[in-house]
Amino acid sequence: MKVSTSDTSVLQIDVDGIIIGSYENDLGEAAASKITDALSPILDLGDDYSGKFKENLLLYNAAGVIAKRVMLVGLGKKEKVDHEKVRVAVALGAKALRKRGVKKIAVEAVGGDAQSTAEGVLLGLYRFDELKTQDLDKLKTIDEVVYCGNDADWNKGVNIAVGENHARRLAELPSNYATPTYVATHSKEILEPFGVKVLIHDEKWAEEKKMGSFLSVTEGADEPAKFTEMQYYGGTEGDQPLVLVGKGITFDTGGTSIKPSAGMGLMRGDMGGAAAVIGAMYAIASLKIPINVIALTPLAENVPGAHATNPADVVTASNGKTIQVENTDAEGRLILADALVYAETFNPHTVIDLATLTGSMMIALGDAFIGAFTRSDDLWKELDEAGNQTYERFWRMPLDKKYRKLLDTPLADMNNVGGRAGGASTAAMFLGEFIEMERWAHIDIAGVGWTTAVGDYTPKGMTGMPVRALAKLAEKYIK
Ligand code: BES
Ligand code: MN
Ligand code: ZN
């Protein structure tokens, strides 16, 4: 889909459809009153449309408008409009236009909020259809979106949404397409044009770094593991970086501790953490946010095989600690362990890891909140704020030594599982063994990585979360 801007007003532009916001019981305010003539007949009718949040009305041949269709989208009461409502209203309007087979649409800053308008259009219209070859004509597609205006906010929303859509796509791609090699080379392809240096490390590099924990996960796989290191120096030379770490299991069968078959296909999305980190890097670099960021994605397939790790095998991580791999399905923490040790070598001010880490997290919070574990009250506040500002909201979960006890084992320094109770917190405590700094947060996105129902601006499937929150957080670190 082509995205462009125009100096022509939304009323004057010749397209198949335009989207105009309106407030509840205040239709006169629609598009800053510019389409009052077209609206007066509706107002006269009374109850046909009142501009309630999520309400839509399609007008044809509206007076004073050149476009063939006007999609009025309701924002609710003016004093209660926020970014999320704009995102939702615009997405619903764009999708409703698409249903009509419309090819070219135009928008203005709905609710005066250009960034959320951009996010609503691009996130709302996102669809994963690249692997379909049949009935493509039935899948109606909008080819072009024009923004009538010219401001940085629109551009910001576009870049963030494109970043989040990259994350959705990477997570959605099945494992025979999105192999560790593909994810690594694709990261390079989309990030290098924005000046990001992308190093793709191989297994030999990981061996030299003594990443025995990371490597133990790929033992059963034919597909070579990769470890991508993305460096973005948008800030001042010598400034401490923010380091993002994303779990990149391109498929999680569970390994020798194999998972049940039902629903296992969703485990193609077990690199949602890596996908979000890559998408956030795209947003940050394309927006030229003036900070330094390093993104690390350990990438591997977790499958059984003759060479696969057996339960109770003991492996040694790059900080020298020994781990009993009691359950090969608790593999995310194994690849993150070495990545966190490596993360700390960059002298970062903050480290954030993102992972579809535990089923336990999904049970605890569902898809409404993202679990956040951190020792730092300051970092928690920053996350909380970024989450609320972008509607990718976090909920603080406990990191406490009580949970660490559950990982004790006679065989090694720690076990990789601690039983069902408190599973998200034992996993977080496990990770804490591999990073010492206070300003570290572990984000468990298992509950929000994918949805089983179509959302207002989220298709059924991989959500790309929380790219928006990460981009917002990055902004907070501008000096
Ligand atoms: N990738 C899974 C976690 C997961 C499960 C995410 C369901 C989303 C939905 C992870 O690798 C895993 O298998 N975790 C195990 C850990 C257990 C063996 C301690 C889990 O949560 O069951
Ligand atoms: Mn697993
Ligand atoms: Zn996993």
Side-chain angles (χ1 to χ4, degrees):
M1 187 170 69
K2 192 179 155 206
V3 181
S4 60
T5 57
S6 167
D7 295 333
T8 314
S9 95
V10 79
L11 304 179
Q12 292 301 314
I13 196 161
D14 185 8
V15 293
D16 303 320
I18 62 172
I19 298 175
I20 295 227
S22 60
Y23 301 109
E24 186 170 348
N25 298 324
D26 202 357
L27 283 187
E29 281 264 359
S33 306
K34 283 178 292 193
I35 63 162
T36 326
D37 290 349
L39 291 177
S40 52
I42 306 166
L43 290 170
D44 292 345
L45 285 175
D47 291 337
D48 278 38
Y49 177 80
S50 64
K52 279 202 181 65
F53 179 46
K54 290 196 177 196
E55 203 180 354
N56 278 342
L57 185 70
L58 183 56
L59 308 175
Y60 297 94
N61 297 322
V65 178
I66 302 232
K68 296 182 196 72
R69 303 171 187 81
V70 174
M71 179 63 72
L72 265 188
V73 299
L75 296 167
K77 296 231 162 63
K78 189 173 183 184
E79 60 282 8
K80 289 200 166 163
V81 173
D82 57 18
H83 302 312
E84 177 66 1
K85 283 188 179 156
V86 173
R87 224 175 265 127
V88 167
V90 170
L92 294 177
K95 286 194 285 185
L97 279 173
R98 177 169 69 185
K99 241 189 213 149
R100 268 107 183 163
V102 163
K103 291 292 169 202
K104 183 171 177 181
I105 66 170
V107 292
E108 57 176 7
V110 171
D113 182 350
Q115 183 182 338
S116 305
T117 301
E119 292 173 1
V121 174
L122 293 175
L123 295 172
L125 292 177
Y126 168 84
R127 184 171 59 202
F128 183 87
D129 50 22
E130 65 190 82
L131 300 181
K132 283 191 174 291
T133 68
Q134 318 238 304
D135 293 335
L136 283 171
D137 47 328
K138 282 190 201 147
L139 286 174
K140 299 192 169 125
T141 306
I142 290 180
D143 297 330
E144 187 173 356
V145 180
V146 185
Y147 174 61
C148 298
N150 186 2
D151 48 84
D153 280 357
W154 165 263
N155 191 44
K156 198 167 158 187
V158 170
N159 287 281
I160 290 171
V162 170
E164 191 148 82
N165 286 340
H166 272 304
R168 289 172 169 184
R169 175 182 173 273
L170 275 173
E172 195 71 64
L173 263 184
S175 72
N176 58 331
Y177 286 83
T179 60
T181 305
Y182 174 83
V183 177
T185 51
H186 187 71
S187 308
K188 199 177 169 94
E189 244 171 68
I190 66 172
L191 294 174
E192 276 191 345
F194 299 104
V196 179
K197 191 168 165 198
V198 179
L199 307 175
I200 303 175
H201 302 302
D202 58 11
E203 291 179 16
K204 197 163 150 273
W205 173 89
E207 273 159 36
E208 280 159 15
K209 296 272 178 214
K210 301 196 170 1
M211 295 185 166
S213 184
F214 167 50
L215 287 166
S216 75
V217 174
T218 193
E219 292 294 309
D222 271 345
E223 209 46 76
K226 300 286 171 190
F227 190 112
T228 317
E229 175 177 336
M230 296 156 262
Q231 308 173 339
Y232 168 69
Y233 291 107
T236 313
E237 210 184 305
D239 270 0
Q240 286 181 286
L242 160 69
V243 178
L244 302 175
V245 180
K247 171 180 173 183
I249 294 294
T250 55
F251 198 86
D252 183 12
T253 64
T256 303
S257 315
I258 200 158
K259 287 180 181 296
S261 322
M264 205 206 279
L266 276 175
M267 287 296 143
R268 71 183 182 283
D270 208 21
M271 29 73 75
V277 163
I278 295 161
M281 226 26 195
Y282 178 94
I284 292 165
S286 64
L287 288 170
K288 300 191 172 63
I289 296 181
I291 60 167
N292 296 335
V293 187
I294 305 287
L296 305 172
T297 57
L299 299 157
E301 224 182 48
N302 185 27
V303 291
H307 296 281
T309 302
N310 289 327
D313 282 1
V314 174
V315 301
T316 307
S318 43
N319 66 349
K321 291 189 182 177
T322 57
I323 304 161
Q324 174 182 343
V325 184
E326 185 59 26
N327 189 323
T328 65
D329 196 10
E331 84 297 339
R333 61 197 76 182
L334 296 176
I335 69 169
L336 290 174
D338 284 324
L340 288 172
V341 172
Y342 189 55
E344 212 162 11
T345 66
F346 290 90
N347 183 31
H349 60 77
T350 308
V351 172
I352 315 250
D353 78 73
L354 294 109
T356 47
L357 204 66
T358 65
S360 169
M361 191 72 256
M362 188 174 68
I363 300 301
L365 298 180
D367 65 4
F369 283 87
I370 307 167
F373 303 75
T374 180
R375 302 161 179 147
S376 161
D377 293 340
D378 287 341
L379 181 52
W380 160 246
K381 278 191 206 114
E382 294 156 21
L383 283 165
D384 190 32
E385 227 180 71
N388 288 327
Q389 287 165 336
T390 56
Y391 210 71
E392 294 186 318
R393 299 174 300 166
F394 300 99
W395 197 266
R396 193 174 188 177
M397 297 287 295
L399 251 186
D400 190 277
K401 59 181 186 305
K402 268 261 191 183
Y403 298 103
R404 173 61 184 81
K405 266 211 159 353
L406 302 170
L407 298 170
D408 285 346
T409 172
L411 209 56
D413 294 338
M414 73 200 83
N415 203 331
N416 79 327
V417 289
R420 269 164 60 79
S425 282
T426 49
M429 285 307 286
F430 178 95
L431 296 178
E433 291 288 321
F434 301 91
I435 182 156
E436 282 166 21
M437 55 193 282
E438 192 190 12
R439 286 183 56 86
W440 155 65
H442 158 56
I443 309 290
D444 193 337
I445 55 172
V448 301
W450 54 81
T451 58
T452 46
V454 179
D456 296 323
Y457 54 84
T458 319
K460 185 176 150 177
M462 308 302 165
T463 63
M465 281 171 80
V467 167
R468 300 200 303 272
L470 289 174
K472 182 57 96 178
L473 189 71
E475 261 180 16
K476 294 185 194 296
Y477 300 137
I478 299 173
K479 284 210 171 136

